[in-house]
């Protein structure tokens, strides 16, 4: 008969409890595997779009794609922060960002084009959209966040899974990465007005650079300077 007592890590790993450990870990591992597969599905869709769109415009809209599955500790912390139960059912019902993809683009217009193209695919459901480019966060953070739901075909079932997609330009990503690092490393809280103000100024400067670079690119496109019929880097990310 199974015991309800919880076991220490040593008991689970070294004693005859390892089977119980594997048994209890399996449903979590299965759920994470399913998020991983959903992430792969969505990533492939963006790789296809990137390859196709480069044919028409002579350049790839996507600079890089990165993927991550939220760590178990971050999942538990987020659920607790929201006052929710920490369980598999609760993860599925309440968290939409367990599978996350970050798409880094060259220009802001690339972001909206990719978002429009992915949302128009008939096997994609748009669950949520947060446009922090149009409406930046008070600290200056810019990015377009979509929660997409995609069907994944497993060996014995078809399951709709949510994936969070964050779209940023290289410039927005530069700001967000540094802001995250600075705040994380020094443990600075948002009330430090001077730092918040300086970071916000940098975000504004970066945004105006983004817009100017986009204008230059559009000008070059309009003059068809250096126009090639076929892309040089088809499919490269
Ligand atoms: P990690 O490490 O990316 O997993 P919600 O999910 O709607 O209940 P949440 O999580 O605040 O609430 O959603 P939101 O605002 O869409 O932000 C989610 C993610 O966006 C964060 O993930 C960050 O990756 C990024 N992000 C949001 N705001 C900022 C910001 O001010 N600076 C930086 N650098 N990134 C930001 P997590 O949850 O932090 O963790």
């Amino acid at each position: 008969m199974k015991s309800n007592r919880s076991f220490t890590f040593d008991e689970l790993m070294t004693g005859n409890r390892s089977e119980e450990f594997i048994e209890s870990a399996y449903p979590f591992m299965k759920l994470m595997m399913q998020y991983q597969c959903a992430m792969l599905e969505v990533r492939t869709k963006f790789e296809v779009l990137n390859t196709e769109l480069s044919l028409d415009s002579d350049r790839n809209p996507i600079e890089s794609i990165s993927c991550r599955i939220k760590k178990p500790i971050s999942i538990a912390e987020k659920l607790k922060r929201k006052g929710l139960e920490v369980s598999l059912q609760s993860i599925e019902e309440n968290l939409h960002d367990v599978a996350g993809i970050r798409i880094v683009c060259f220009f802001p217009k690339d972001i909206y084009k990719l978002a429009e193209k992915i949302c128009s695919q008939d096997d994609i459901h748009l669950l949520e959209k947060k446009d922090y480019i149009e409406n930046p966060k008070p600290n200056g953070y810019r990015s377009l966040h979509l929660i997409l739901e995609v069907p994944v075909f497993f060996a014995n079932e078809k399951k709709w899974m949510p994936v969070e997609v964050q779209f940023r330009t290289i410039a927005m990503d530069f700001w967000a990465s540094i802001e995250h690092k600075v705040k994380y490393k020094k443990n600075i809280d948002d009330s430090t007005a001077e730092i918040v103000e300086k970071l916000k100024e940098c975000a504004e400067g970066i945004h105006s650079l983004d817009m100017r670079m986009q204008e230059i690119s559009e000008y070059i496109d309009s003059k068809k300077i250096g126009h090639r019929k076929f892309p040089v880097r088809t499919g490269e990310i």
Side-chain angles (χ1 to χ4, degrees), residues 68 70-71 74 78 81-82 94-97 102 128 130 132 137 139-141 143 145 147 164 166 168 175-181 183:
R68 70 105 183 84
K70 216 173 179 67
K71 289 184 190 139
S74 306
K78 186 162 187 175
R81 203 168 52 242
K82 290 177 167 234
N94 300 303
L95 296 190
H96 286 149
D97 65 343
R102 187 166 295 153
E128 193 182 304
K130 287 187 194 165
Y132 296 125
K137 284 198 167 181
N139 63 355
Y141 176 77
S143 186
H145 294 188
I147 306 290
E164 184 192 65
Q166 296 182 351
R168 297 174 182 170
W175 183 93
S177 305
I178 293 180
E179 188 256 9
H180 188 262
K181 204 170 194 80
K183 275 170 58 175

Side-chain angles (χ1 to χ4, degrees), residues 36-91:
Q36 176 95 33
C37 294
M39 205 169 67
L40 288 176
E41 291 271 357
V42 177
R43 182 189 177 119
T44 302
K45 283 176 175 291
F46 282 109
E47 286 175 348
V48 169
L49 283 173
N50 190 45
T51 304
E52 190 197 344
L53 292 173
S54 70
L55 250 182
D56 300 333
S57 65
D58 197 23
R59 66 175 182 83
N60 299 66
I62 299 178
E63 196 269 338
S64 64
I65 300 181
S66 52
C67 296
R68 70 105 183 84
I69 293 292
K70 216 173 179 67
K71 289 184 190 139
I73 182 78
S74 306
I75 291 176
E77 279 171 3
K78 186 162 187 175
L79 287 171
K80 282 187 203 158
R81 203 168 52 242
K82 290 177 167 234
L84 298 163
E85 191 191 45
V86 180
S87 67
L88 291 188
Q89 190 181 343
S90 179
I91 294 172

Side-chain angles (χ1 to χ4, degrees), residues 137-236:
K137 284 198 167 181
N139 63 355
Y141 176 77
R142 280 184 171 82
S143 186
L144 174 68
H145 294 188
L146 302 182
I147 306 290
L148 304 176
E149 200 182 35
V150 63
V152 187
F153 292 82
F154 298 106
N156 297 313
E157 63 174 323
K158 170 185 165 188
K159 191 167 171 184
W160 285 85
M161 305 288 303
V163 176
E164 184 192 65
V165 185
Q166 296 182 351
F167 296 90
R168 297 174 182 170
T169 59
I170 299 172
M172 293 171 200
D173 191 50
F174 163 80
W175 183 93
S177 305
I178 293 180
E179 188 256 9
H180 188 262
K181 204 170 194 80
V182 169
K183 275 170 58 175
Y184 170 75
K185 284 217 159 174
K186 311 290 180 205
N187 206 16
I188 289 162
D189 77 54
D190 275 344
S191 62
T192 315
E194 197 191 331
I195 290 165
V196 172
E197 209 38 56
K198 281 185 194 299
L199 282 167
K200 197 174 170 177
E201 260 174 43
C202 290
E204 297 305 326
I206 277 170
H207 178 62
S208 71
L209 276 180
D210 247 349
M211 299 317 286
R212 280 164 62 191
M213 295 298 275
Q214 181 166 284
E215 274 171 30
I216 293 169
S217 156
E218 282 169 351
Y219 177 75
I220 292 172
D221 282 351
S222 73
K223 300 283 175 203
K224 296 201 187 308
I225 298 169
H227 179 76
R228 279 189 205 90
K229 178 88 179 137
F230 297 105
V232 190
R233 300 172 53 225
T234 307
E236 276 181 30

Side-chain angles (χ1 to χ4, degrees), residues 119 121-128 147-151 160:
C119 290
Q121 298 187 4
D122 63 12
D123 58 347
I124 286 279
H125 294 163
L126 174 64
L127 297 186
E128 193 182 304
I147 306 290
L148 304 176
E149 200 182 35
V150 63
W160 285 85

